[in-house]
Amino acid sequence: MNCYNHPEITAVGNCKACSKGVCSDCATDLGHGLACKGKHEQRVEDLEMIISKNVKAFADASKNQFLLPAFFFFMGLVFVGFALYQGEGFASFPVVMGFGFLLFGLIFLIRNRKIFS
Ligand SMILES: [Zn+2]
Ligand SMILES: [Zn+2]
C-alpha cells in the first residue's frame, strides 16, 4: 500500500479516521494510532476518547446489571407483601402493581443476562 498523497512512497500505516494510507511525512503518530498530519489528529483523538469511555461504561453497566432488577423485585415484594399483610385480595390494586414490578424485574434480569453473559 502506498501513501494517499504520495503514490510513489510506501505508506507506514493508515489514518485511524479516514483509513487512507499515509507515509512518514503525512502521518502523525498519536501513540494509539496514526492520523493524517494537520487534518485528522483531533478526529482520531475523539474516536479514541469515545472508545475508551464506552469500554468503561460497558464495564460499569456489567457491574450494575443486577441493580435495576433488584429494585423492581424489592418494589414488587413490598407491594405484594404489604397488601397481603393488610388483608387485601389478589385482585387488589397494590397486588397487581407488585406483580407488575416483579414481572418487569424478571424481564430486565433476563435481558441484562443476555447482554453481559
Ligand atoms: Zn485521515
Ligand atoms: Zn505522504
Side-chain angles (χ1 to χ4, degrees):
M1 182 185 60
N2 287 349
C3 176
Y4 181 77
N5 302 311
H6 309 99
E8 71 283 0
I9 303 175
T10 303
V12 292
N14 296 77
C15 169
K16 247 183 170 178
C18 66
S19 298
K20 284 172 183 160
V22 281
C23 70
S24 53
D25 282 343
C26 298
T28 304
D29 189 354
L30 297 168
H32 50 75
L34 299 176
C36 296
K37 189 178 276 180
K39 197 175 166 196
H40 284 147
E41 287 96 342
Q42 190 58 51
R43 178 92 183 137
V44 172
E45 290 292 359
D46 289 348
L47 286 170
E48 182 64 21
M49 187 262 290
I50 289 165
I51 290 166
S52 48
K53 281 201 173 177
N54 267 300
V55 168
K56 192 179 177 316
F58 189 82
D60 284 352
S62 174
K63 273 184 254 161
N64 295 333
Q65 63 171 306
F66 297 108
L67 208 57
L68 192 63
F71 169 74
F72 277 99
F73 282 131
F74 171 76
M75 292 301 285
L77 291 175
V78 166
F79 269 100
V80 173
F82 190 73
L84 293 180
Y85 177 75
Q86 293 285 320
E88 306 234 24
F90 270 97
S92 68
F93 175 72
V95 172
V96 173
M97 277 287 289
F99 277 109
F101 272 114
L102 291 173
L103 180 66
F104 273 98
L106 193 63
I107 291 169
F108 276 114
L109 186 67
I110 291 167
R111 289 180 62 99
N112 287 353
R113 292 304 297 152
K114 272 185 190 162
I115 294 168
F116 295 110
S117 60

